[in-house]
Amino acid sequence: TQLLEQSPQFLSIQEGENLTVYCNSSSVFSSLQWYRQEPGEGPVLLVTVVTGGEVKKLKRLTFQFGDARKDSSLHITAAQPGDTGLYLCAGNDYGQNFVFGPGTRLSVLP
Amino acid sequence: NAGVMQNPRHLVRRRGQEARLRCSPMKGHSHVYWYRQLPEEGLKFMVYLQKENIIDESGMPKERFSAEFPKEGPSILRIQQVVRGDSAAYFCASSPEIAGADTQYFGPGTRLTVL
């Protein structure tokens, strides 16, 4: 059974701070996705990473896929209250199955 | 291009009634996934369907739950004889045909409340 772990589970920071959240597994994935979910809404796709070692930037967000394609990180620079939400990672196991992590709940205080 | 659509957004049922949740995938997407999310928890996979076929239902409870994705029309998740423990947000996601580097796109969810 494939499992994705995310850390930290909860994170509360002040506006302007930097942060990194992690997504780890013992399994190899063909691709990995990061989503942000706000209360009462569905997850919204932020990025898909495919190549081991790949780094993608989305404004203040930087995503990295581990060389072995088992882990990923999301770094946010100068966090803003609008970044508040549940950050979910999901891995594709070379087929059509997606495994989700439990999420990191981020709160950015003004 | 419209996104994934789900209806109703909110559904209230009494114990013992049936709940029918609908999902229309994005245009051009032929793969549909259903997930359940309890408050303060992550997404739990329930079932994966392609048109007229159930590919993986390993996350579906053995009783009372069923899903279909007919040739025409939306995908339906049906819960018979609902119980209070079925109260949750149910999300549908769709993806295109190409496997491997695929990405799922989620609908806004249906929040089921069982009284």
Side-chain angles (χ1 to χ4, degrees):
Chain A
T1 301
Q2 295 174 313
L3 287 175
L4 271 172
E5 298 177 345
Q6 290 190 245
S7 61
Q9 186 177 359
F10 298 96
L11 185 58
S12 182
I13 61 171
Q14 292 294 135
E15 182 176 3
E17 293 184 5
N18 301 332
L19 67 115
T20 303
V21 298
Y22 301 92
C23 175
N24 297 290
S25 176
S26 58
S27 302
V28 177
F29 293 102
S30 60
S31 67
L32 193 139
Q33 293 79 39
W34 283 93
Y35 296 84
R36 180 170 66 214
Q37 184 180 23
E38 298 186 20
E41 301 295 331
V44 175
L45 178 69
L46 296 175
V47 78
T48 296
V49 286
V50 179
T51 306
E54 181 178 6
V55 176
K56 281 192 174 180
K57 290 183 184 290
L58 183 66
K59 296 183 180 179
R60 294 177 293 101
L61 279 59
T62 302
F63 304 85
Q64 184 161 7
F65 200 12
D67 290 340
R69 293 156 79 170
K70 294 182 178 181
D71 53 81
S72 180
S73 64
L74 159 58
H75 181 79
I76 301 179
T77 304
Q80 299 177 1
D83 297 327
T84 293
L86 177 66
Y87 287 81
L88 296 161
C89 67
N92 184 303
D93 67 353
Y94 290 92
Q96 288 290 154
N97 289 323
F98 293 83
V99 177
F100 276 83
T104 291
R105 199 165 294 277
L106 172 66
S107 178
V108 182
L109 305 174
Chain B
N1 186 11
V4 178
M5 299 176 69
Q6 289 188 250
N7 68 81
R9 292 292 306 272
H10 300 273
L11 182 61
V12 179
R13 286 287 179 265
R14 296 193 179 278
R15 281 180 296 170
Q17 291 184 320
E18 178 180 286
R20 290 170 67 90
L21 288 62
R22 295 174 184 77
C23 168
S24 296
M26 287 180 69
K27 186 177 180 181
H29 286 192
S30 58
H31 299 195
V32 166
Y33 307 78
W34 285 94
Y35 295 86
R36 177 163 61 180
Q37 186 177 41
L38 295 172
E40 306 301 315
E41 293 190 10
L43 294 164
K44 301 296 184 187
F45 168 78
M46 297 182 74
V47 62
Y48 159 43
L49 311 101
Q50 294 180 17
K51 284 285 187 181
E52 299 184 279
N53 286 303
I54 296 175
I55 307 302
D56 182 353
E57 56 182 347
S58 58
M60 288 270 276
K62 294 289 188 282
E63 298 178 350
R64 303 189 297 108
F65 285 72
S66 62
E68 62 177 10
F69 189 15
K71 187 177 181 180
E72 301 291 339
S75 175
I76 306 286
L77 178 67
R78 180 191 297 176
I79 311 173
Q80 296 178 301
Q81 298 176 316
V82 296
V83 300
R84 289 215 173 112
D86 297 332
S87 294
Y90 292 84
F91 291 97
C92 164
S94 72
S95 68
E97 271 198 64
I98 301 173
D102 244 343
T103 295
Q104 294 184 320
Y105 297 88
F106 281 84
T110 293
R111 276 145 193 84
L112 173 65
T113 301
V114 179
L115 302 177

